[in-house]
Amino acid sequence: MADNPYRDLPPKAFWRTGVAEAGLFGMEGLWASPWTLPSDARFSTFGSCFAQHISRALVARGLNWKEAEARPGRTPDEIAKKYNYGVFTARTGNIYTAAQLLLWTRLALGEAGPDAIEIWQDAEGRFHDTLRPKIEPEGFESAAEARASLATTARAFRRAFAEAEVFIFTLGLTEGWEDAETGQVWPLCPGTGVGTFDAGRHVFLNYDYMRIRQDLETAMEKMRAVNPGLRFLFTVSPVPLVATASGEHVLTATMHSKSVLRAVAGDLAHARDEVDYFPSYEIIAAPPIRAAFFEPNLRTIAPEGVSLVMTHFFAGLDISGPPERASDGDAEAARVKASEAAMAAEDLVCEEIVLEQFNEG
């Protein structure tokens, strides 16, 4: 047989040996990080609901998960969780789209201020930050308090990229809503969680490949202007859409959304040395998996699936480099312990699920 490029490829390069014969739990080499990180590398995590699993796994493994906005004082675990502390590196709530990520970056750098975000007052007189619609379960007492909290989180978000080695972001959706008058990006359609829907102002967008890539690249460039050594690890949430406003069936809308996000993330990883892609989406949703890790609602990911994703994540992560900083001592240990306790429960904070209440079928 003539020499050719396929003769010396490893088993993982062929479908039969890499997938069919290996089986769900036998696949190897799905991901290997191109970076050798210091053993004390700090990781910041943001994104859609599935991103919360990565936060918890990092803490459980004793790695340096960055908690830039810790709970106040000795807040009990159940109260901290209720008010969304210890969920992401800063108290941003879920960041579903690249457009949201760019907005948070602009807020963190002072290019936009808290006044750029609409504060909505509900029928009970409570105030809600529309960029973080579920961050305070009962809302704030005043608009000033809501904006002060938003400013605090914006500063924490800046620390999240200024003081980390790796910024992990889980892309969740292509669908989003923007305010035609102010340009604000909304995490949820106004009127579904907080806010009042105005058809003349609130515009549905299904962000395309070019817009998503542009928003991600702009956000990355702004972050690296502050922290030139920052690396970005993108992944795509395997969790399907709760609902779609695209006019398509929710199944095809989901596949479109995930396919576009996967293409953007993969292309960025190939094009830029400071970007990598981790295949959490494929591990859960690829056809050979046969939906084995979805709960009966065909949306929630079973613990066994999450565990498999994290097994591949840590198998490919290289933190064998020498440490780059002295230990912060007891204070850092206390922060890590607090964040681990806050993330111990398995309930995810997922704002998008509020859309299910409008399903009358």
Side-chain angles (χ1 to χ4, degrees), residues 65 67-72 75-77 79-91 132 135-136 140 149 152-153 338-339 341-343 349:
W65 177 67
E67 189 175 22
E69 190 172 7
R71 69 179 79 178
T75 306
D77 293 347
I79 300 299
K81 179 182 175 183
K82 179 180 179 181
Y83 287 88
N84 293 276
Y85 287 97
V87 177
F88 297 107
T89 292
R91 200 164 161 246
R132 305 178 300 163
I135 209 71
E136 290 276 329
F140 295 93
S149 175
T152 295
T153 296
S339 64
M343 295 186 295
V349 179

Side-chain angles (χ1 to χ4, degrees), residues 32-155:
S33 174
W35 312 315
T36 298
L37 299 170
S39 59
D40 57 354
R42 293 166 294 190
F43 298 85
S44 290
T45 55
F46 293 96
S48 68
C49 308
F50 195 80
Q52 297 169 44
H53 291 301
I54 299 177
S55 307
R56 294 169 178 172
L58 289 167
V59 171
R61 297 285 184 115
L63 299 184
N64 239 344
W65 177 67
K66 178 72 178 172
E67 189 175 22
E69 190 172 7
R71 69 179 79 178
R74 297 184 177 181
T75 306
D77 293 347
E78 64 274 13
I79 300 299
K81 179 182 175 183
K82 179 180 179 181
Y83 287 88
N84 293 276
Y85 287 97
V87 177
F88 297 107
T89 292
R91 200 164 161 246
T92 58
N94 293 301
I95 302 176
Y96 290 113
T97 64
Q100 279 180 261
L101 178 66
L102 179 56
L103 177 55
W104 271 111
T105 305
R106 294 181 63 236
L107 287 166
L109 295 174
E111 296 177 5
D115 289 346
I117 306 304
E118 180 180 337
I119 304 300
W120 178 73
Q121 187 175 14
D122 64 25
E124 285 72 42
R126 303 289 292 183
F127 294 83
H128 300 266
D129 164 6
T130 59
L131 187 58
R132 305 178 300 163
K134 299 298 181 182
I135 209 71
E136 290 276 329
E138 286 82 37
F140 295 93
E141 291 187 0
S142 67
E145 184 182 81
R147 294 196 191 283
S149 175
L150 180 61
T152 295
T153 296
R155 291 191 293 270

Side-chain angles (χ1 to χ4, degrees), residues 176-181 190 197-205 207:
W177 294 83
E178 292 188 4
D179 190 317
E181 293 185 5
F197 182 72
D198 182 341
R201 286 180 54 191
H202 300 127
V203 180
F204 170 76
L205 292 174
Y207 298 108

